[in-house]
C-alpha cells in the first residue's frame, strides 16, 4: 500500500514538474518578441540587421533611436491625441455602461431585456462588416470625419456592449438589493443610490473595463486610420507609419517608437492588474 502511495505521489510530482516546464516554455514564447524589442532598441540599424539576437551591437550601446523617433513621428502631439481620445472614451464608456447595466438589472421591463439582448448580439458582429458603411455615412453623408469627437463616439459605441455585459454581472451578483432598499429608507433618490452605494462597489469591474478598453483604444490602428485623415490628429499607432518607407525601413526607429507607445499603457496595467482577475470573474459565480 505504501509503495502504491509513493508511486502515486511520485507520478503527481512528475506531472507537476512537466506542467511547470510547459508553462515556462509558453512564457518564453510569449515574452520573446518583447525581449527582442528591448535588446535591439539600443542598437544601430546595421547592428540590428547583422545580428538581432546579440545583446550589444558592434557599434555599442546607443540612445539615438529615441530622440530621432520622437522627432520624426511628432511624438508629443501624437501622444496627446492618443491620451485625449483614450481617456475620454474610457471614462464615457464606464459611466454609460455602469448606468445602463444598473437600469437593466434593477428593472424587469421587457424593453430592458430586449436592449440587453441586442447588446449581446452586437458583440458578435465583426468591425470589418461595419467599416465601409461607417466611413460612407460619417464621411460622405455627415461630413464629420477627421475629428477627435467622431473617433471617441465610435470607440464608445463599439465598446459599450461588452462593458455593460461585465457591469451587469457584477451588479447582479455583488451588489445586494438590500443596500439599495436601506438607501431608499434613508431618503436617497435612485440617482444617489447609484452614485453613493452601487458605483463604489463596482471598483474591480471599473478597473477591469478601464484597462481592457484603454488598451484597445490606445493600440487601435484600423479605426483611427479610417477616421483621422489630418496629420495633426494622428494617434501614436498611425504616427508610426512615418518609419515605413517604400524601399527601406529603419527598424531601430520603429522599435523605439513601439517601446515609447507601449510604456503608458504598460504602466496603467501594472497599477490596475490586481483588479483584473477579480473584475473579470465578478458575476461568474453566484
Amino acid at each position: 500500500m505504501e509503495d502504491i502511495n509513493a508511486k502515486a505521489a511520485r507520478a503527481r510530482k512528475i506531472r507537476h514538474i512537466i506542467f511547470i516546464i510547459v508553462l515556462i516554455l509558453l512564457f518564453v514564447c510569449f515574452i520573446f518578441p518583447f525581449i527582442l524589442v528591448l535588446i535591439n532598441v539600443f542598437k544601430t540599424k546595421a547592428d540590428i540587421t547583422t545580428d538581432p539576437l546579440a545583446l550589444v551591437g558592434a557599434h555599442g550601446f546607443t540612445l539615438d533611436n529615441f530622440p530621432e523617433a520622437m522627432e520624426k513621428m511628432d511624438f508629443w502631439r501624437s501622444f496627446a491625441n492618443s491620451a485625449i481620445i483614450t481617456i475620454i472614451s474610457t471614462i464615457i464608456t464606464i459611466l454609460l455602461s455602469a448606468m445602463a447595466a444598473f437600469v437593466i438589472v434593477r428593472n424587469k421591463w421587457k424593453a430592458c431585456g430586449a436592449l440587453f439582448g441586442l447588446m449581446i448580439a452586437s458583440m458578435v458582429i465583426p468591425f470589418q462588416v461595419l467599416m465601409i458603411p461607417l466611413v460612407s455615412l460619417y464621411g460622405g453623408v455627415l461630413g464629420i470625419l477627421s475629428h477627435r469627437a467622431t473617433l471617441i463616439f465610435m470607440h464608445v459605441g463599439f465598446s459599450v456592449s461588452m462593458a455593460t455585459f461585465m457591469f451587469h454581472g457584477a451588479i447582479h451578483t455583488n451588489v445586494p438589493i438590500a443596500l439599495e432598499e436601506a438607501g431608499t429608507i434613508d431618503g436617497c433618490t435612485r440617482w444617489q443610490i447609484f452614485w453613493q452605494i452601487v458605483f463604489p462597489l463596482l471598483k474591480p469591474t471599473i478597473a477591469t473595463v478601464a484597462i481592457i478598453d484603454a488598451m484597445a483604444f490606445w493600440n487601435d490602428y484600423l479605426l483611427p486610420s479610417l477616421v483621422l485623415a489630418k496629420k495633426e490628429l494622428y494617434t501614436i499607432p498611425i504616427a508610426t507609419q512615418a518609419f515605413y518607407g517604400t524601399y527601406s525601413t529603419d527598424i531601430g526607429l520603429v522599435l523605439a517608437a513601439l517601446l515609447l507607445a507601449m510604456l503608458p499603457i504598460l504602466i496603467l496595467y501594472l497599477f490596475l492588474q490586481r483588479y483584473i482577475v477579480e473584475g473579470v470573474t465578478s458575476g461568474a459565480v453566484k
Side-chain angles (χ1 to χ4, degrees), residues 82 85 127-128 131-132 134-135 145-148 150-152 154-155 216-231 233-241:
S82 290
I85 292 169
F127 168 72
Q128 289 76 8
M131 183 169 62
I132 296 176
L134 274 177
V135 175
L145 291 181
S146 292
H147 292 282
R148 294 192 194 95
T150 303
L151 182 57
I152 291 170
M154 290 184 179
H155 275 323
F217 301 153
W218 185 271
N219 295 323
D220 191 17
Y221 175 86
L222 183 55
L223 185 56
S225 67
L226 296 172
V227 176
L228 305 176
K230 298 178 182 178
K231 190 173 182 180
L233 297 177
Y234 279 3
T235 58
I236 287 181
I238 305 177
T240 56
Q241 293 178 123

Side-chain angles (χ1 to χ4, degrees), residues 4 8 20 39 43 49 61 98 123 136 140 143 174 179 188 204 224 261 263:
I4 295 175
I20 296 297
I39 291 174
K43 299 179 185 176
T49 306
F61 185 88
M123 290 163 56
S136 300
N174 297 333
L179 291 177
C188 293
L263 281 178

Side-chain angles (χ1 to χ4, degrees), residues 35-44 47-48 51-55 65 251-252 255:
I35 295 174
L36 278 181
V37 171
L38 291 179
I39 291 174
N40 290 293
V41 74
F42 301 107
K43 299 179 185 176
T44 63
D47 290 337
I48 297 173
D51 191 358
L53 295 179
L55 293 177
N65 290 328
I251 300 298
L255 296 179

Side-chain angles (χ1 to χ4, degrees), residues 256-276:
L258 294 177
L259 187 60
L260 290 170
M262 73 173 69
L263 281 178
I265 206 69
L266 183 62
I267 293 171
L268 176 65
Y269 177 81
L270 292 176
F271 275 108
L272 299 181
Q273 58 89 22
R274 67 191 183 97
Y275 294 106
I276 288 181

Side-chain angles (χ1 to χ4, degrees), residues 16 19 22 24 35 48 57 69-70 73 113 117 120 137 146 153 157 179 185 187 203 205 211 216 228 245 268 280:
H16 181 70
F19 179 71
V22 171
I24 293 173
I35 295 174
I48 297 173
M70 293 175 70
M73 68 185 293
I120 300 300
L137 175 62
S146 292
F153 176 75
L179 291 177
I185 293 172
K203 285 182 181 178
T205 308
I211 189 64
L228 305 176
L268 176 65
V280 169

Side-chain angles (χ1 to χ4, degrees), residues 100-273:
F102 177 66
V103 172
I104 292 172
V105 171
R106 295 305 186 222
N107 295 283
K108 304 304 180 184
W109 305 332
K110 290 183 180 180
C112 290
L115 177 62
F116 189 61
L118 288 173
M119 285 185 170
I120 300 300
S122 69
M123 290 163 56
V124 303
I125 301 176
F127 168 72
Q128 289 76 8
V129 174
L130 305 173
M131 183 169 62
I132 296 176
L134 274 177
V135 175
S136 300
L137 175 62
Y138 286 93
V141 179
L142 301 177
I144 56 174
L145 291 181
S146 292
H147 292 282
R148 294 192 194 95
T150 303
L151 182 57
I152 291 170
F153 176 75
M154 290 184 179
H155 275 323
V156 173
F158 283 115
S159 61
V160 74
S161 295
M162 173 61 79
T164 302
F165 175 74
M166 296 180 67
F167 279 117
H168 182 281
I171 294 173
H172 185 71
T173 303
N174 297 333
V175 182
I177 197 169
L179 291 177
E180 299 173 30
E181 293 172 347
T184 303
I185 293 172
D186 289 339
C188 293
T189 63
R190 296 293 288 172
W191 185 257
Q192 291 173 324
I193 287 173
F194 175 75
W195 289 112
Q196 298 179 15
I197 298 176
V198 177
F199 196 71
L201 296 176
L202 299 176
K203 285 182 181 178
T205 308
I206 292 171
T208 304
V209 173
I211 189 64
I212 291 174
D213 285 343
M215 289 178 65
F217 301 153
W218 185 271
N219 295 323
D220 191 17
Y221 175 86
L222 183 55
L223 185 56
S225 67
L226 296 172
V227 176
L228 305 176
K230 298 178 182 178
K231 190 173 182 180
E232 58 267 22
L233 297 177
Y234 279 3
T235 58
I236 287 181
I238 305 177
T240 56
Q241 293 178 123
F243 307 113
Y244 296 95
T246 304
Y247 302 104
S248 65
T249 300
D250 194 329
I251 300 298
L253 298 184
V254 172
L255 296 179
L258 294 177
L259 187 60
L260 290 170
M262 73 173 69
L263 281 178
I265 206 69
L266 183 62
I267 293 171
L268 176 65
Y269 177 81
L270 292 176
F271 275 108
L272 299 181
Q273 58 89 22

